[in-house]
Amino acid sequence: MIIYSLDLAGTFAFALSGAYTAAEKGYDIIGIIVVGFVTAMGGGIIRDLLMNAYPITWLADNTYFWLVVLAAAMIFVLSKWMLKMKNTLFAIDSVGLAVFTLLGVQKALDHHLNPIEAVIMGMMSGVFGGLCRDVITRKTPFIFTEELYASVCIVGGGIYMVLLKLGVHELSRDILVILVVLLIRVLAVRYHITLPKVKGVIEQPGV
Amino acid sequence: MIIYSLDLAGTFAFALSGAYTAAEKGYDIIGIIVVGFVTAMGGGIIRDLLMNAYPITWLADNTYFWLVVLAAAMIFVLSKWMLKMKNTLFAIDSVGLAVFTLLGVQKALDHHLNPIEAVIMGMMSGVFGGLCRDVITRKTPFIFTEELYASVCIVGGGIYMVLLKLGVHELSRDILVILVVLLIRVLAVRYHITLPKVKGVIEQPGV
Amino acid sequence: MIIYSLDLAGTFAFALSGAYTAAEKGYDIIGIIVVGFVTAMGGGIIRDLLMNAYPITWLADNTYFWLVVLAAAMIFVLSKWMLKMKNTLFAIDSVGLAVFTLLGVQKALDHHLNPIEAVIMGMMSGVFGGLCRDVITRKTPFIFTEELYASVCIVGGGIYMVLLKLGVHELSRDILVILVVLLIRVLAVRYHITLPKVKGVIEQPGV
C-alpha cells in the first residue's frame, strides 16, 4: 500500500519531467501528454517486454494513465509556477527513481530472473523512461552525463539482493533500499558527484 | 475488404513518407527501405507488442512488406516527380491515419482492453510509426508541433467508442470514423489549426 | 560451438563499438556500459520481441552481459590504445555482423517464419543494435549512409536460404555464409563501395 502510493508519486514526478521537457521543445498538449507518458511508463514497459510480463503495468491499472494526464495538464497550466518548485520536483523524482528500482528488482525476481538480471531490470525500470524522453526530444541523455543516476539504481538493486540473502524482513528491506537510493541521489546532486568519463576521446560540443 | 484495401493504401502512404524522409537525409536505398518499413509498421508493431498480440501484423501477411519495398523504389526512382504530387500524397497519408486509428481501436477491443486503452492504442497505431521515423532521422517530431495529428486519432477513437455504445451498425460506424478523421485532418491542414503550446518555456531554436 | 565462440566475439566487438561511441559523447562509465549493451544486444532483442521468442537471448546466458561489461571496461581504461587497433576492431565487428546475421536467420526459421521474413530478421539482428546506438547517441546512422552494411546482411541471408534449398550440409552452409558476408564487407570498406542515394533531395548538412 505504501509502495503503491510511492509508485504513483514516482509516476507523477516522471510524467512531470517528461511533460516539462516536451513543453520546452514547443510540443503541443498531446505531445506533452505522450512524452510524459513515455517518460513515466517507458522504463516499466521495456522491463515488462524483456521479461514477457503481461499485461504491461499501465494496462492493468488506468490510474497511471490519468496521473500522466494530470501531470501534463499541470505543466500546461502552471508551468511558470512549477519552475519555482524545482526542489519539490527533484525530491519527488528521486522517490520515483527509488521506488521504480525497487519494483523493477522485485518483478524480475517474481519472474525467476537471477540476481544480476534483477538488478539490471531495476536499473532499466528507473532510467529507461528518462532515456526514451531524451531520445524523442533529442537531448543529450543527462542520466549518463550528469550526477549519479543509473548507478544509484544499481547500488539500490545490489543492496536489495544483499538484504534478501540476509533474510531481512520484507518491509524493512524495501524501506532501507528506498532510503539508501534517496540518500545517495540527494548527496550526489548536492555535491555534484559524477562518475568518471573517458578523457581524450570526448568530441567537441556542436560536433 | 474495403478496410483491408484502405489499410494497404495507408501502409503505402506511410512508407512513402518514411522513404522520402530517409532520402532527404542522404540514406542509401536500404536505409530508405528500412525507414519506410519502420514508419509504416512501427505504430502497429508497438501496439501489438504492448498488447502481446502475436503474430505481429506484417509477419502474418507479407503484402505489407512488399508495399514498403515498392514505396521505397518509387521514392528512389521518381523522387522529383513524387514531390509534385504532394496533395495526392497528403490525401493518402490522411486515409492511412484514419484507417490505422480504426484498426488499432478494433484490435485493442478484440484483446479486451477497456475503451480508454483502446483509444490510446488507436492513437499509437496512427502516430508512433511517424514518431519512430522522426527519431531515427533526427527530425523534430512534426506530429507534436504542427497541425492536429495525434489529436485527430484521439477524436476518431472517441467517436468509435460512442458509436459502438449507441449500437450503430459496423460498416456505418467504420466509415463514419474514417470520414470524421479525414475531415478534421484536412480542415486542420487547410486552416493551419494547431493545438496550444506552453508559452514562456519554449527554448530558442538551435538550442 | 564454433558459432557460439564467433557469436561471443561479435557481441564483444559490437559492445566495443557502442562503448566507444558513448565515450566520445562524454557519457560516464554506466552510460558506456548501457550503450555497449544496447549496441550488442539491441538487434537480437528487437528480433526476439518481434518473433515472440522468449527468453530473450541475454537472459538465457549471462556470458553476454559480462562480455559487455568487459568491453566497456576496456574502452574506459584503454581507449587510446584501442584507437590504434582500428583494423583489428573492424575485423571483429565484421565477424559479429556475419554471425549475427546467420543466427538471426536460423532463429527466425526455427520460429517458422518464411524465407523472406527470415532474411529480414537476419538483417535486423545484424544492424538494429547499431541503429539503437546511433539513435541514443544522436549520430547519423552510418549503417545507412556509408559502405555496404545492412545490404551485406541481406545478401548473406539470401545465400543462406539458397544453400538451405540446395540441401548443403549445415556446417559448410554456415561457414560459407559467414565467409561471404565477411568478404563483401571487407571489400566494401576497402574500396569504399556504397549503395546509391537519391540525388537532388538530400538536405544540406546542418539542416
Side-chain angles (χ1 to χ4, degrees):
Chain A
M1 190 60 205
I2 301 172
I3 299 290
Y4 181 65
S5 313
L6 292 174
D7 186 25
L8 293 181
T11 301
F12 187 66
F14 276 38
L16 281 176
S17 105
Y20 190 80
T21 307
E24 269 186 333
K25 289 285 177 176
Y27 289 13
D28 60 33
I29 177 67
I30 298 287
I32 291 172
I33 294 176
V34 170
V35 177
F37 184 85
V38 170
T39 309
M41 299 291 140
I45 287 175
I46 292 173
R47 176 200 65 209
D48 288 351
L49 288 178
L50 292 181
M51 301 194 306
N52 202 14
Y54 288 93
I56 299 284
T57 308
W58 67 272
L59 287 177
D61 179 356
N62 282 181
T63 314
Y64 295 97
F65 172 70
W66 291 114
L67 264 181
V68 170
V69 173
L70 179 65
M74 284 181 67
I75 289 293
F76 199 76
V77 178
L78 305 169
S79 57
K80 279 174 195 174
W81 181 76
M82 300 296 282
L83 271 183
K84 291 182 195 136
M85 301 188 52
K86 280 214 159 165
N87 283 334
T88 314
L89 289 184
F90 166 70
I92 312 181
D93 184 80
S94 301
V95 172
L97 190 69
V99 178
F100 280 26
T101 302
L102 179 69
L103 294 177
V105 173
Q106 284 176 337
K107 192 160 189 179
L109 292 175
D110 288 347
H111 281 75
H112 310 296
L113 272 61
N114 70 34
I116 286 164
E117 294 162 351
V119 173
I120 298 175
M121 288 295 176
M123 191 266 273
M124 285 182 173
S125 305
V127 309
F128 271 40
L131 185 58
C132 291
R133 174 198 60 213
D134 293 342
V135 163
I136 292 177
T137 59
R138 302 196 297 150
K139 299 187 80 153
T140 297
F142 88 91
I143 55 177
F144 297 141
T145 51
E146 305 295 328
E147 289 93 356
L148 305 184
Y149 199 89
S151 46
V152 177
C153 301
I154 294 173
V155 172
I159 291 172
Y160 182 96
M161 296 314 308
V162 171
L163 295 177
L164 187 71
K165 269 266 153 73
L166 295 177
V168 173
H169 180 269
E170 197 179 329
L171 188 64
S172 328
R173 185 191 62 205
D174 291 358
I175 292 174
L176 213 58
V177 168
I178 290 176
L179 288 182
V180 168
V181 170
L182 267 179
L183 185 70
I184 307 181
R185 174 76 183 134
V186 169
L187 289 178
V189 171
R190 178 77 185 73
Y191 296 103
H192 297 294
I193 304 168
T194 59
L195 286 175
K197 298 171 184 183
V198 182
K199 297 225 165 57
V201 296
I202 300 178
E203 291 178 357
Q204 297 310 308
V207 174
Chain B
M1 191 61 205
I2 300 171
I3 298 293
Y4 182 65
S5 312
L6 293 174
D7 186 25
L8 294 180
T11 300
F12 187 67
F14 277 38
L16 281 176
S17 105
Y20 190 80
T21 308
E24 271 186 331
K25 289 286 177 175
Y27 290 13
D28 60 33
I29 177 66
I30 298 287
I32 291 172
I33 293 175
V34 170
V35 177
F37 184 85
V38 170
T39 309
M41 299 291 140
I45 288 175
I46 293 174
R47 176 201 64 208
D48 288 350
L49 287 178
L50 293 180
M51 300 193 306
N52 202 15
Y54 288 94
I56 299 283
T57 307
W58 68 272
L59 287 177
D61 179 357
N62 283 180
T63 314
Y64 295 97
F65 171 70
W66 290 114
L67 265 181
V68 170
V69 173
L70 178 65
M74 284 182 67
I75 288 293
F76 199 74
V77 177
L78 304 170
S79 57
K80 278 173 194 174
W81 182 76
M82 300 295 282
L83 270 184
K84 292 182 195 136
M85 299 188 52
K86 280 214 159 165
N87 284 333
T88 314
L89 290 184
F90 165 70
I92 313 180
D93 184 80
S94 301
V95 172
L97 190 69
V99 179
F100 280 27
T101 303
L102 178 70
L103 293 177
V105 173
Q106 284 177 337
K107 193 160 188 178
L109 292 175
D110 287 347
H111 281 76
H112 310 294
L113 272 63
N114 70 34
I116 287 163
E117 294 162 351
V119 172
I120 299 174
M121 288 296 175
M123 191 266 274
M124 286 183 171
S125 306
V127 309
F128 271 39
L131 185 59
C132 291
R133 174 198 60 211
D134 293 341
V135 164
I136 292 177
T137 58
R138 302 197 295 150
K139 299 187 81 153
T140 297
F142 86 91
I143 55 176
F144 297 142
T145 51
E146 305 294 329
E147 289 92 355
L148 306 183
Y149 199 90
S151 46
V152 177
C153 301
I154 294 173
V155 171
I159 290 173
Y160 182 97
M161 296 314 308
V162 170
L163 294 178
L164 188 71
K165 269 267 154 73
L166 294 178
V168 174
H169 180 269
E170 198 178 329
L171 188 65
S172 328
R173 184 191 63 206
D174 292 359
I175 292 174
L176 213 58
V177 167
I178 290 177
L179 288 182
V180 169
V181 170
L182 267 178
L183 185 70
I184 307 182
R185 175 74 182 135
V186 169
L187 288 178
V189 171
R190 178 75 186 74
Y191 296 103
H192 297 295
I193 304 168
T194 59
L195 286 176
K197 298 172 183 184
V198 182
K199 299 228 165 55
V201 297
I202 300 177
E203 291 178 356
Q204 297 310 308
V207 175
Chain C
M1 190 62 205
I2 301 171
I3 298 292
Y4 182 64
S5 313
L6 292 174
D7 187 24
L8 293 181
T11 301
F12 187 67
F14 277 37
L16 281 176
S17 104
Y20 189 81
T21 307
E24 271 185 333
K25 289 285 177 176
Y27 289 13
D28 60 34
I29 177 65
I30 297 287
I32 291 172
I33 294 175
V34 170
V35 177
F37 184 85
V38 170
T39 308
M41 298 291 141
I45 288 175
I46 292 173
R47 177 200 64 209
D48 287 351
L49 287 179
L50 292 181
M51 300 194 307
N52 202 15
Y54 288 94
I56 299 284
T57 308
W58 67 272
L59 288 177
D61 179 357
N62 283 180
T63 314
Y64 295 97
F65 172 71
W66 290 114
L67 265 181
V68 170
V69 173
L70 178 64
M74 284 181 67
I75 289 292
F76 199 74
V77 178
L78 305 169
S79 57
K80 278 174 196 173
W81 180 76
M82 300 295 282
L83 269 185
K84 292 182 196 137
M85 298 188 55
K86 279 214 160 166
N87 283 334
T88 314
L89 289 184
F90 165 70
I92 313 180
D93 183 80
S94 301
V95 172
L97 190 68
V99 179
F100 280 26
T101 302
L102 178 70
L103 294 177
V105 173
Q106 285 177 335
K107 193 160 189 179
L109 292 175
D110 288 348
H111 281 75
H112 310 294
L113 271 62
N114 69 35
I116 287 164
E117 294 162 351
V119 172
I120 299 174
M121 288 295 177
M123 191 266 273
M124 286 183 172
S125 305
V127 309
F128 271 39
L131 185 58
C132 291
R133 173 199 62 213
D134 293 342
V135 164
I136 293 176
T137 60
R138 301 197 297 148
K139 299 187 81 151
T140 296
F142 88 89
I143 55 175
F144 297 142
T145 52
E146 305 295 327
E147 289 92 356
L148 305 184
Y149 199 91
S151 46
V152 177
C153 301
I154 294 173
V155 171
I159 290 172
Y160 182 95
M161 296 313 308
V162 170
L163 296 177
L164 188 71
K165 270 266 154 74
L166 295 177
V168 174
H169 180 269
E170 198 178 327
L171 189 65
S172 328
R173 185 191 62 205
D174 292 358
I175 292 174
L176 212 59
V177 168
I178 290 177
L179 288 181
V180 169
V181 171
L182 267 178
L183 184 70
I184 306 181
R185 174 78 183 134
V186 168
L187 289 177
V189 171
R190 178 76 185 73
Y191 296 104
H192 298 294
I193 304 168
T194 58
L195 285 176
K197 298 171 185 183
V198 182
K199 298 224 167 57
V201 297
I202 300 178
E203 290 178 357
Q204 297 310 307
V207 176

